[in-house]
């Protein structure tokens, strides 16, 4: 905190500029740095920061010719993210994006950019939730050669919403995509830290999921397919009782 003396026609300043607050009290005109609450990173944020730092270090270790190839890749291609939005990346961004995905599906890190081989489109999938499980039903008859799945889910919610983007969490990685039924109940419980179903009493909730395909060679992902389903568990008990004028249950 510091006291300020004005002059040359300026008699007072009030408010905040760039984090500094001007005000007046019995001591005179005061300028102080506006207080800010400290925020500690969550465990998930810490892991993300550590992973980013590791890939940044890996990129810095590349030879100059490899870095130029990644920069050329970045100037040639944009990236379509999981929400279907095109993003312009740097060479370092592309290196990290591709290799993070390849690492997730058990592939090695690439020092030079791959051919831009796109993944197949996400097939027709149903999200099926009932009182005992959360499952995906994947269309059959699809050639999943060289394809992996990234599966994200939300925790249960009851609100009516048009967007679940911020609630999606990576739940399961299938390094080889498959057709038919995929049970993700245990993965969902591990991801969100709650049992399924979340309550044994009356429940009326919704869960959403997003599925992306991955080209295992290039590490490039598809836009995600978002699915939702409802779980409704009726109240269990003795049901409706009739009480007559004697207050005897009939």
């Amino acid at each position: 905190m510091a006291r300020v003396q004005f002059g040359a026609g300026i008699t007072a300043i009030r408010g905040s500029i760039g984090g500094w607050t001007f005000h007046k009290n019995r001591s005179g005109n005061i300028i102080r740095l506006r207080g800010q609450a400290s925020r500690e990173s969550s465990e998930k944020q810490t892991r993300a920061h550590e992973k980013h730092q590791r890939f940044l270090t890996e990129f810095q270790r590349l030879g100059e010719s490899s870095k130029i190839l990644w920069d050329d890749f970045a100037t040639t291609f944009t990236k379509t993210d999981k929400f279907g939005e095109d993003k312009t990346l740097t060479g370092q961004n592309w290196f990290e994006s591709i290799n993070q995905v390849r690492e997730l599906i058990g592939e090695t890190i690439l020092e030079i950019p791959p051919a831009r081989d796109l993944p197949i489109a996400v097939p027709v999938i149903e999200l099926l939730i009932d009182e005992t499980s959360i499952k995906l039903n994947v269309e059959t008859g699809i050639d999943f050669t060289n394809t992996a799945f990234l599966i994200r889910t939300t925790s249960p919610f009851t609100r009516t919403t048009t967007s679940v983007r911020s609630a999606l969490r990576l739940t399961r990685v299938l390094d080889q995509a498959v057709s038919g039924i995929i049970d993700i109940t245990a993965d969902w419980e591990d991801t969100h830290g709650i049992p399924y179903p979340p309550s044994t009493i009356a429940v009326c909730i919704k869960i959403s999921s997003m599925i992306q395909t991955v080209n295992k060679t290039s590490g490039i992902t598809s836009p995600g397919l978002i699915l939702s389903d409802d779980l409704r568990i009726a109240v269990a008990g003795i049901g409706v009782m009739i009480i007559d004028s004697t207050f005897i249950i009939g």
Side-chain angles (χ1 to χ4, degrees), residues 18 49 95 111 118 143 179 207 219 244:
H49 295 158
F95 172 85
E111 293 191 354
L118 300 178
D143 181 4
S179 298
I207 292 174
D244 63 23

Side-chain angles (χ1 to χ4, degrees), residues 76-114:
T76 305
F77 304 113
T78 57
K79 174 181 171 60
T80 304
D81 70 9
K82 58 181 174 287
F83 301 115
E85 298 171 353
D86 289 337
K87 306 290 185 181
T88 299
L89 304 186
T90 65
Q92 178 188 306
N93 295 153
W94 264 117
F95 172 85
E96 184 170 348
S97 172
I98 284 174
N99 284 310
Q100 277 201 18
V101 172
R102 281 178 56 88
E103 188 174 76
L104 274 176
I105 61 177
E107 300 293 330
T108 57
I109 290 178
L110 298 176
E111 293 191 354
I112 60 174

Side-chain angles (χ1 to χ4, degrees), residues 20 64 89 103 131 135 184 222 240 242:
W20 295 96
E64 195 61 29
L89 304 186
E103 188 174 76
E131 295 182 16
K135 296 177 181 177
I184 59 172
S222 72
V240 177
I242 301 174

Side-chain angles (χ1 to χ4, degrees), residues 2-18:
R3 258 187 307 219
V4 182
Q5 184 172 353
F6 298 106
I10 300 176
T11 59
I13 300 177
R14 292 183 180 178
S16 299
I17 301 175

